[in-house]
Amino acid sequence: MKSSTDRPSGLRRTEAGKENNTAKPPSRFLADLHLFDLIGKGLFGLDLEDGGRIIAVGRVGAAVLERTVSDIVGFLPDDLLPEAVTRSITEHATLASPRSVTIETPLPTTGAPDRIIAWTLHDITHDGKHLALLETEDVTTRKHNEKRLRNLFRAVEQSPASVVITNTKGVIEYVNPRFTQNTGYGFDEVIGQTPSIVKSGFTSDQQYRDLWNTITAGREWHGELLNRRKNGEMFWEHISISPVRNEDGEIAHFIAVKEDITDRKEYEKRLRYQAHYDELTKLPNRILITDRLGQALARADRNQDHVGVAFIDLDDFKKVNDTLGHTYGDDLLRVAARRLMSCIRSSDTVGRLGGDEFLVILPDLKDGTHASTVADKILAAFEDPFIILGHSITTTASIGLTLYPDDGREAEILMRNADAAMYLAKDAGRNCQRCFHPEINTIAMHRLRMESLLRGAVTRNELFVVYQPQICAADGHLVGAEALVRWQSPEFGLVPPLDFIGLAEDSGLIEPIGQFVLETACRQFAAWQTRLPPGTRISVNVSTRQVASPSFSESVAKTLWETGLSPSLLEIELTESLFALRTPVIMDNLTRLRRIGIRLAVDDFGTGYSSLSYLREFPVDSVKIDRSFLIPVGDPAADALVRAIVAMGHSLSLQVVAEGIETLEQMAFLKTIACDVAQGFHIARPLVAKDFLPFALSLHGHHAP
Ligand code: C2E
Ligand code: MG
Ligand code: MG
C-alpha cells in the first residue's frame, strides 16, 4: 500500500474507507461494472449513506479519472469528481424519492481539459442500503458536433446571401433572415410555399424546366434570374441550387443560395451605356454615331435617298475651357448639346465625337438643301449668348457639311469629309457653314503642314515684327507704334498673322510666339529710345490664352527688365472677348500689369463683347475703335456711332484710337469728333524695323500728315 504522501494532495481515505475496502461491495455491482466496462461506459458505485463514498469502480471509470482502482475505491468523491457532480451526490443523499440526473461537465483534471463527460447518477436501493450508480460517458465528440451545427446554423442565419431549403417537392421548409429582408416576405408567409412566390414572369418555362431537371438529377444548378419582391420591385439574383442527400444517399432537400446582383446588373447596364453614350452630354458617342451613320447609309442605299452629315465645332470652346476652367467648359458643352438637339428632327441623330466636336446625321434626304437649312438653324441657335454659371459667353459654331452618296459612300469617309469642310468654315472666319468639295482635302493637308512648320518657326528665326505708326489725330505727331507679327515661311512665303494666329492659339504655340513678339518689340523700342520723340510707345497684341496664364504678368515684367524698356512705354492690346471671361487669373494679371505702369488697350473695340460695363471695372487706358466702324464715313448713322464711342471713351477718361484709317476723309472726320490717335495705311503701312526710324524722324518737325 502506498503511503499517503504518494497520493495527490487533498486525497483522504478515512478509517471507514479502509473497512469498506475489506468489506466486499455487493456482488451485483461488480457484475454491472464489468458489463459497463464491456460497452465502454465508466461506472462508479457510491454509498449515499456514507457521504457518497466510492465503494466500487470499473476499469473504464478508473481510466476516465486517470487513476488506478485502488486510488479511487474507499475515497470520498469530493477530491476525485468534478464539483458539480459531488454537489449532486450530496443532494441525492438527502432526497426521499430516487431519480436519475445527468450532468455534463469537463473533467477536473488538467490532463484533458477539452474532454466533456456526461455523468448520470441513478439512485438504487441494495440490501436496504441507499446506494447510487454513477455512469460516465465521454460526450466530447457529440458536444463538438453540436457546437459545429450551432455555428453552422448561425452562419446560415446571418449569411449575406439568401438561403432557401425546400423538400424534394420544392416546398419551402426554411428561409434565412436575408431572404425575408430581400424579398419582403415574412418567414411564416413563405414556409409551405414554393420559390415561385418570387417569380417575376420574365423567366421562361424552359429555363425553370432546365433548373428542375438538373437538380432532380442530383446535379447543381447555377444561374441568374430576374425575380420580384413582395412590393413588386424586380431584382436580379445569382442562384446556386444543390441537392442535399440523406444517410442513404437519397435526395432529401434542395438548398438554394442566392445573391442579389441587381447592383451589378445595373452597373453592367451603365457600362454598356457608357460604351455608347457620352457621359457629359448624354449624346451618342463616336462609336454609336458611326454605327447609326452606317445604318442610315444602308437605308439610303435601298431607298435611293441622300444622307447629310454635319460636323460641328464650337469656335471659342478652347478659350472658355482654358480661361474659365473645366466646369464652365463642361456646362457649355451640355447647353450646346441641347441647342443642337433643338435644331433637328426626331429621325436625325446628334452625337458628340469628343472635345467640342459634334456630328449630326440627317437621313432620308432628297438632296443637300435640307442639310444646309439645318446648318443655318444651328448657326442661328448659337447666336444667343450662353449663360454659364452667371457668365454670358458667346460661342459660335463652324459647320462642315457633306452628302451621301455625292461626296462618299462610307461612314468613315463622310465623317472625314465633313471634318475637312468644317475647317473650311473655320478658315472663312468661323460662325458659318461650308460644304465639302474634293479640293478640300488639300486644304486640310495644308493646315496640318502649316502647323508643323509653325512649330519650328520661332527657333528658325522665321518670325519678325513690323511696326505701324500711330499719330495724334489733332496735330499728327508720333505717339507710338503697334507691333505686328509676320511669318516669312520658306514654303508658304510671307504669311499674315490672321492666317496663323488662330492656328497658334489652337495648338498652344501662341505662348512662345507671343513672347517672341513682346521681347523683340521691347528690345527694339528700348534701343530707339534716345532717337524717338520722348514718350513714344509700343503697343503689343496678346491673345486671351496668354493673359489667362498665371505667369503672364510676371513674364512681361521680366521682359521689360531684361530689355530695359520703361513700363510706361509699353501698351498691351487685349481683345474684347477677354473681358467677357473675367476670371480671377485674368483680373489678377491685368491689375499687376497696370500696377507696374503698363498701359492696357482694348483692341477691335465694338466687335466682341456687347456690354460696355466692363470698361468701368477693368483698369484700361485706351480703346481702339474697330476699322469696320470707320469704313462708311459719311453715313450719318455710322458717324453718330463713332462720335458716341469717342464721347463715351472720354467720359471714362480713356484715350480713343481709330485704326484702319485709309483716307484723308476719314482723317478729317477724326479731327472733328476729337478722336485722340489715328493709325492706318493713310498714315503708314506696318513698317519693317529699318524703315520705321526714318519714317518717325520724317514726321518729327512737320507734324501734320
Ligand atoms: P489688329 O491688332 O487689329 O491689328 C491691326 C491690323 O489692321 C493689322 O493687320 C494691320 O496691318 C491692319 N491695318 C492697319 N492699318 C490698316 C488700314 O488702313 N487698312 C486695312 N485694311 N488694314 C489695316 P495684321 O498685321 O494683318 O494683323 C491682323 C491681326 O492679327 C491683328 O489685328 C491682331 O489681332 C493679330 N496680330 C498681329 N500680330 C499679333 C501678335 O503679335 N500677337 C497676337 N496675339 N496677335 C497679333
Ligand atoms: Mg492690335
Ligand atoms: Mg484692331
Side-chain angles (χ1 to χ4, degrees):
M1 177 170 245
K2 287 177 183 163
S3 79
S4 63
T5 50
D6 288 330
R7 299 198 177 102
S9 65
L11 278 187
R12 288 165 290 131
R13 198 198 309 236
T14 58
E15 289 311 303
K18 274 178 190 158
E19 280 163 31
N20 266 343
N21 218 6
T22 43
K24 288 268 183 287
S27 58
R28 218 190 93 197
F29 255 46
L30 289 173
D32 284 347
L33 294 180
H34 290 308
L35 197 66
F36 272 87
D37 278 346
L38 282 178
I39 63 166
K41 284 194 174 180
L43 201 71
F44 298 80
L46 309 173
D47 184 353
L48 293 183
E49 291 172 10
D50 185 13
R53 191 179 301 284
I54 302 170
I55 50 172
V57 65
R59 232 172 355 97
V60 178
V64 167
L65 296 187
E66 294 174 333
R67 293 181 196 284
T68 59
V69 171
S70 61
D71 278 342
I72 296 170
V73 172
F75 288 90
L76 284 170
D78 314 40
D79 302 313
L80 295 167
L81 303 180
E83 204 201 322
V85 180
T86 57
R87 215 181 312 119
S88 182
I89 293 169
T90 317
E91 278 169 19
H92 268 257
T94 60
L95 278 177
S97 55
R99 53 154 215 207
S100 294
V101 69
T102 302
I103 295 161
E104 285 176 355
T105 175
L107 273 176
T109 54
T110 50
D114 291 340
R115 287 177 57 214
I116 299 167
I117 306 295
W119 312 80
T120 308
L121 199 62
H122 308 278
D123 292 54
I124 51 168
T125 312
H126 190 81
D127 287 345
K129 292 191 81 175
H130 192 190
L131 304 179
L133 274 177
L134 178 64
E135 180 194 326
T136 68
E137 187 187 1
D138 191 329
V139 293
T140 313
T141 316
R142 177 165 60 81
K143 279 280 154 194
H144 281 176
N145 285 346
E146 276 173 18
K147 195 168 157 198
R148 257 179 41 211
L149 215 64
R150 254 196 328 272
N151 286 343
L152 198 67
F153 182 70
R154 217 172 286 143
V156 171
E157 282 275 294
Q158 294 169 14
S159 163
S162 293
V163 178
V164 179
I165 299 175
T166 71
N167 66 14
T168 49
K169 298 205 163 53
V171 174
I172 298 175
E173 293 186 351
Y174 169 84
V175 294
N176 71 346
R178 186 54 197 237
F179 176 92
T180 60
Q181 256 169 39
N182 205 21
T183 61
Y185 287 106
F187 187 86
D188 295 332
E189 283 178 281
V190 288
I191 300 302
Q193 302 279 341
T194 67
S196 65
I197 193 167
V198 293
K199 258 188 187 176
S200 65
F202 280 92
T203 311
S204 68
D205 289 346
Q206 180 58 41
Q207 202 169 352
Y208 284 121
R209 261 200 303 281
D210 284 349
L211 183 164
W212 196 247
N213 289 343
T214 308
I215 58 176
T216 48
R219 280 176 287 123
E220 266 185 33
W221 183 89
H222 302 279
E224 290 174 358
L225 296 181
L226 184 60
N227 283 334
R228 193 191 291 273
R229 300 186 220 278
K230 191 179 177 182
N231 65 9
E233 205 176 278
M234 307 283 216
F235 67 109
W236 277 98
E237 284 189 307
H238 180 272
I239 305 178
S240 297
I241 307 179
S242 321
V244 184
R245 293 171 194 278
N246 61 18
E247 303 83 32
D248 302 330
E250 293 159 349
I251 296 173
H253 291 97
F254 295 113
I255 176 162
V257 178
K258 300 146 53 113
E259 191 193 345
D260 189 329
I261 52 163
T262 313
D263 287 349
R264 195 192 80 198
K265 283 278 183 186
E266 197 52 42
Y267 184 65
E268 284 172 0
K269 201 165 93 191
R270 259 205 359 245
L271 278 184
R272 265 200 309 278
Y273 180 86
Q274 261 170 22
H276 288 114
Y277 288 87
D278 169 47
E279 178 73 26
L280 186 71
T281 60
K282 313 287 178 229
L283 294 179
N285 66 6
R286 183 182 286 274
I287 296 172
L288 185 58
I289 193 123
T290 311
D291 188 61
R292 295 247 174 107
L293 180 55
Q295 288 171 15
L297 298 185
R299 208 170 46 241
D301 190 38
R302 281 196 303 275
N303 303 343
Q304 304 256 302
D305 275 340
H306 290 71
V307 178
V309 179
F311 195 110
I312 297 142
D313 188 285
L314 305 188
D315 289 332
D316 284 310
F317 179 72
K318 276 201 184 66
K319 202 152 74 191
V320 171
N321 218 28
D322 290 351
T323 52
L324 287 175
H326 295 295
T327 318
Y328 285 83
D330 287 356
D331 241 31
L332 179 58
L333 289 174
R334 270 191 287 263
V335 182
R338 252 178 280 144
R339 282 200 189 172
L340 286 176
M341 293 287 290
S342 71
C343 296
I344 59 160
R345 304 172 302 186
S346 61
S347 55
D348 303 339
T349 307
V350 185
R352 181 177 171 217
L353 296 174
D356 59 344
E357 295 174 346
F358 298 86
L359 196 82
V360 175
I361 302 171
L362 308 160
D364 315 319
L365 303 182
K366 291 293 156 232
D367 54 50
T369 45
H370 178 70
S372 180
T373 311
V374 172
D376 275 337
K377 228 168 128 187
I378 293 172
L379 291 173
F382 278 72
E383 242 150 47
D384 293 334
F386 292 85
I387 309 296
I388 307 290
L389 302 168
H391 281 260
S392 164
I393 297 168
T394 309
T395 292
T396 51
S398 295
I399 305 176
L401 290 176
T402 194
L403 203 64
Y404 167 92
D406 314 43
D407 302 331
R409 304 194 62 91
E410 285 154 44
E412 289 288 317
I413 290 177
L414 288 165
M415 283 166 77
R416 197 166 352 113
N417 287 351
D419 186 10
M422 186 277 292
Y423 272 110
L424 269 193
K426 289 265 184 207
D427 287 343
R430 309 159 150 214
N431 190 20
C432 61
Q433 55 158 312
R434 284 294 179 269
C435 290
F436 174 82
H437 55 80
E439 302 86 74
I440 230 174
N441 284 324
T442 21
I443 296 169
M445 292 294 292
H446 176 80
R447 204 184 152 82
L448 273 179
R449 177 82 188 133
M450 198 141 152
E451 186 184 325
S452 96
L453 287 179
L454 186 59
R455 216 160 270 284
V458 177
T459 45
R460 284 195 304 266
N461 281 321
E462 290 169 12
L463 297 182
F464 65 98
V465 179
V466 291
Y467 303 92
Q468 187 172 34
Q470 297 177 330
I471 60 165
C472 168
D475 67 10
H477 80 268
L478 186 72
V479 292
E482 177 174 9
L484 296 159
V485 69
R486 298 287 179 267
W487 176 21
Q488 184 65 55
S489 158
E491 192 170 316
F492 303 119
L494 185 64
V495 189
L498 288 178
D499 287 3
F500 69 90
I501 291 290
L503 193 65
E505 284 174 341
D506 289 348
S507 58
L509 290 169
I510 193 65
E511 298 208 354
I513 291 174
Q515 180 58 29
F516 163 81
V517 175
L518 180 71
E519 219 175 290
T520 309
C522 289
R523 181 161 293 121
Q524 187 64 79
F525 265 63
W528 283 339
Q529 220 156 64
T530 52
R531 324 225 358 225
L532 289 172
T536 308
R537 285 191 300 265
I538 176 68
S539 299
V540 177
N541 295 284
V542 295
S543 288
T544 300
R545 253 186 106 115
Q546 289 171 268
V547 192
S549 154
S551 60
F552 179 67
S553 55
E554 200 186 310
S555 74
V556 173
K558 192 163 156 259
T559 307
L560 285 175
W561 186 81
E562 279 171 4
T563 58
L565 186 73
S566 155
S568 64
L569 297 183
L570 177 63
E571 183 171 70
I572 300 276
E573 289 192 12
L574 308 158
T575 60
E576 237 182 343
S577 58
L578 175 138
F579 297 98
L581 297 171
R582 218 186 291 258
T583 72
V585 173
I586 291 176
M587 291 295 279
D588 196 47
N589 273 329
L590 296 186
T591 315
R592 281 164 194 246
L593 290 175
R594 194 77 186 312
R595 211 181 296 140
I596 51 178
I598 293 167
R599 289 170 57 95
L600 301 179
V602 182
D603 203 353
D604 306 334
F605 182 76
T607 56
Y609 197 41
S610 44
S611 158
L612 299 180
S613 58
Y614 71 87
L615 287 179
R616 288 180 206 283
E617 295 168 40
F618 280 87
V620 296
D621 301 273
S622 61
V623 291
K624 295 184 78 175
I625 307 174
D626 191 65
R627 190 167 69 229
S628 57
F629 289 97
L630 287 141
I631 291 173
V633 166
D635 176 83
D639 287 359
L641 187 60
V642 178
R643 217 182 277 271
I645 295 174
V646 174
M648 184 218 55
H650 287 166
S651 75
L652 291 169
S653 311
L654 301 174
Q655 189 181 57
V656 183
V657 182
E659 58 181 344
I661 301 304
E662 294 182 352
T663 65
L664 191 63
E665 194 197 354
Q666 286 171 314
M667 198 63 215
F669 174 64
L670 293 187
K671 278 189 196 166
T672 64
I673 60 168
C675 179
D676 305 293
V677 177
Q679 174 187 350
F681 295 170
H682 175 70
I683 300 138
R685 297 209 161 237
L687 303 166
V688 293
K690 80 170 173 41
D691 294 339
F692 183 81
L693 205 55
F695 176 84
L697 296 177
S698 76
L699 278 185
H700 221 49
H702 49 101
H703 282 159

